[in-house]
Amino acid sequence: MPAGGQQLSDREAAILTEYELIRSEVKKMGNLIAEINKEELDALTQSMRSVEQKLALVYTVFRSSIYAHLSQQEMTQSNELASVYSENFQTNCPPFD
């Protein structure tokens, strides 16, 4: 009975009943989530660590591949420039013997 001695209307009683059902369902979900976390969280954490390590390895290999590609490209360009300059280089000095 509510405070002040008033009785609940049918609508108010229905609302309180639905509220109680929702509250019990939310409590069940909370318990289920807590159980899942307790049982499966360690396995999930281990799995995520393994994925993180593999991703770090792939990232490192990718970075080294990009570095190698850029380094090779730079070497090719510098060789091309050197050959262009050596072909067009003219001097009045006698050659070294």
Side-chain angles (χ1 to χ4, degrees), residues 28-41:
K28 285 180 191 176
M29 282 194 306
N31 291 338
L32 181 61
I33 289 170
E35 183 180 322
I36 288 171
N37 281 341
K38 184 173 28 171
E39 293 173 359
E40 298 175 9
L41 189 60

Side-chain angles (χ1 to χ4, degrees), residues 83-97:
S83 67
V84 167
Y85 287 133
S86 66
E87 289 173 4
N88 295 330
F89 184 73
Q90 296 177 0
T91 181
N92 292 331
C93 297
F96 293 114
D97 290 326

